[in-house]
Amino acid sequence: QQPVQSPQAVILREGEDAVINCSSSKALYSVHWYRQKHGEAPVFLMILLKGGEQKGHEKISASFNEKKQQSSLYLTASQLSYSGTYFCGTESYGQNFVFGPGTRLSVLP
Amino acid sequence: SQTIHQWPATLVQPVGSPLSLECTVEGTSNPNLYWYRQAAGRGLQLLFYSVGIGQISSEVPQNLSASRPQDRQFILSSKKLLLSDSGFYLCAWDMAAGSGNTQYFGPGTRLTVL
């Protein structure tokens, strides 16, 4: 069963913040985040393996709430280079890895 | 380090023609291999995955097939292409053992069926 991502799309100005959510109806043991720029393959951003784990890279970070079966990706002070489609991927007990439908992020100057 | 290759990068084929897309991985042994398809502006649809040579699991019934003749080679084929087969085809790999394995994608093949 595919995780749900929200919002489906978001438009920002440079320097603004965004949050992308990923939730599942199944108990999760890992959440993966990817970014795909137009016309390119998805690129791995980070993986969260434990409930409550938070990770970050520069101004992009993520959290994983195991109890709520959800993860959030935080983009702070967005840059033009952040534009693209963000996918979460989840692993749950009894189900293989599955990607969410994606969230399209557009950062405008 | 590990590298994943796909070819061709782009392909234009007429309806009813055959298809063969190839994916190879370097720098690792016994990887899990995956074929995804992405229609324009859409998400990633898992088509096939393989945990070893000759072992193929299909996620979606269709006129495509996959084969894994060697440990690090994964091939996607069709005998007769349909218009609906157009899309961006992505091969990915991850480590076979354990959980929490990250999938790494190849550069993709953009297929247009006319």
Side-chain angles (χ1 to χ4, degrees):
Chain A
Q1 191 169 358
Q2 188 179 46
V4 176
Q5 286 188 238
S6 63
Q8 289 184 324
V10 58
I11 300 175
L12 301 172
R13 294 284 180 183
E14 267 189 296
E16 293 182 337
D17 302 340
V19 180
I20 299 172
N21 299 302
C22 174
S23 63
S24 174
S25 60
K26 294 181 174 291
L28 303 174
Y29 58 78
S30 77
V31 179
H32 308 229
W33 285 98
Y34 290 77
R35 176 171 62 204
Q36 183 180 29
K37 291 185 178 290
H38 182 68
E40 300 179 6
V43 173
F44 171 73
L45 293 176
M46 65 188 78
I47 180 175
L48 299 105
L49 292 173
K50 300 177 184 177
E53 183 175 30
Q54 295 189 35
K55 280 193 174 179
H57 176 68
E58 296 183 346
K59 295 178 180 176
I60 300 177
S61 61
S63 64
F64 178 21
N65 187 322
E66 191 175 9
K67 288 185 178 179
K68 292 185 178 180
Q69 298 166 188
Q70 66 185 34
S71 175
S72 296
L73 185 71
Y74 306 94
L75 299 102
T76 306
S78 58
Q79 306 169 14
L80 294 176
S81 61
Y82 288 1
S83 293
T85 301
Y86 290 79
F87 293 97
C88 69
T90 58
E91 289 179 286
S92 56
Y93 301 93
Q95 183 178 24
N96 290 335
F97 183 89
V98 60
F99 281 101
T103 294
R104 183 169 295 185
L105 178 73
S106 300
V107 181
L108 305 178
Chain B
S1 63
Q2 299 85 7
T3 311
I4 179 168
H5 303 278
Q6 283 186 248
W7 63 89
T10 60
L11 192 60
V12 180
Q13 293 283 95
V15 170
S17 64
L19 173 73
S20 180
L21 303 181
E22 190 164 342
C23 169
T24 58
V25 181
E26 296 178 354
T28 187
S29 298
N30 194 32
N32 293 327
L33 295 172
Y34 305 83
W35 278 113
Y36 289 88
R37 177 170 63 198
Q38 188 175 35
R42 305 298 295 273
L44 299 159
Q45 180 187 31
L46 178 63
L47 301 175
F48 300 95
Y49 70 93
S50 171
V51 299
I53 295 174
Q55 301 178 64
I56 309 294
S57 296
S58 174
E59 290 292 307
V60 182
Q62 59 220 320
N63 70 321
L64 299 171
S65 62
S67 62
R68 184 169 177 174
Q70 300 180 40
D71 181 45
R72 289 170 286 182
Q73 184 184 32
F74 205 21
I75 297 172
L76 183 69
S77 304
S78 174
K79 292 182 179 179
K80 288 186 178 182
L81 284 169
L82 306 173
L83 286 174
S84 57
D85 290 325
S86 292
F88 192 36
Y89 287 81
L90 292 155
C91 181
W93 74 274
D94 68 18
M95 292 304 297
S99 63
N101 297 317
T102 298
Q103 291 190 15
Y104 295 96
F105 287 86
T109 294
R110 193 164 302 281
L111 172 67
T112 303
V113 182
L114 301 175

